[in-house]
Amino acid sequence: MSKKIAKVGLFVALAMIFSYIEAIIPWDFGIPGVKLGVANIVVVVALYQLNIPETAGISFVRIFLMGLLFGNVMSLAYSFSGGALSLIGMIVCKRLKLSVIGVSIVGAVLHNVGQLSTAAFILQSTAITYYFPVLLVSGLVTGFLIGILSYRVNKSLDKFSQNNNDR
């Protein structure tokens, strides 16, 4: 049990570090609101290394803590809605046996859909949906990149775990 708690704590810490790095490094893609989503590597990897409640806990604890430390109520609302929809979609896609890259792409796109839906609700306007094609393309690209990295990390962790079990 303590090993599992330590592993979850490590995943939360890594996700927070990646979020913080992404927040302080000005990644300017020239498109407002578009970011790489490096912390999602941790969530995608956790989805394959841990169980669903632990993965959900990692995702939501990171969102909550980063919101408290560096955000506000609005950023929490956007992050929670994007994170929840993304996680649900990734869980479904993993169960449907999509590749890690496919799961990551679906997660990235749904994260953008969740945030856009929240913005439309808060603004009481669907006019903001004009931005969806831009977010769709950015989600496809960033989801693909994060998926490749997540696949490689999972492969390394599986190999490491197998080597430790052989001893």
Side-chain angles (χ1 to χ4, degrees):
M1 178 64 149
S2 60
K3 210 176 202 180
K4 195 65 106 169
I5 292 170
K7 192 181 273 190
V8 169
L10 181 64
F11 274 77
V12 169
L14 283 171
M16 289 184 65
I17 290 166
F18 289 161
S19 291
Y20 179 69
I21 289 170
E22 190 166 46
I24 64 170
I25 296 175
W27 306 93
D28 187 12
F29 294 106
I31 305 167
V34 172
K35 58 184 198 170
L36 192 52
V38 181
N40 293 330
I41 294 170
V42 177
V43 177
V44 175
V45 169
L47 192 58
Y48 287 87
Q49 298 294 320
L50 304 170
N51 62 36
I52 291 171
E54 292 164 347
T55 302
I58 290 163
S59 180
F60 293 122
V61 166
R62 181 204 47 102
I63 290 168
F64 180 71
L65 291 175
M66 293 307 290
L68 280 179
L69 293 171
F70 304 107
N72 54 42
V73 174
M74 295 308 291
S75 67
L76 273 171
Y78 288 115
S79 294
F80 271 121
S81 62
L85 190 58
S86 172
L87 186 60
I88 290 167
M90 290 192 300
I91 290 167
V92 168
C93 289
K94 181 182 179 236
R95 287 188 175 160
L96 292 173
K97 306 287 187 211
L98 258 65
S99 69
V100 174
I101 295 169
V103 167
S104 177
I105 290 170
V106 168
V109 169
L110 288 179
H111 193 277
N112 289 341
V113 168
Q115 290 188 325
L116 197 60
S117 299
T118 300
F121 177 77
I122 289 170
L123 298 172
Q124 294 294 299
S125 171
T126 57
I128 195 157
T129 57
Y130 78 90
Y131 205 52
F132 179 69
V134 172
L135 293 178
L136 176 64
V137 171
S138 75
L140 291 170
V141 172
T142 60
F144 180 75
L145 296 173
I146 296 302
I148 290 171
L149 292 171
S150 299
Y151 172 79
R152 290 188 175 175
V153 170
N154 271 317
K155 199 170 161 183
S156 295
L157 287 174
D158 289 344
K159 188 184 287 187
F160 177 77
S161 179
Q162 184 181 16
N163 288 341
N164 280 344
N165 288 337
D166 290 342
R167 292 181 184 179

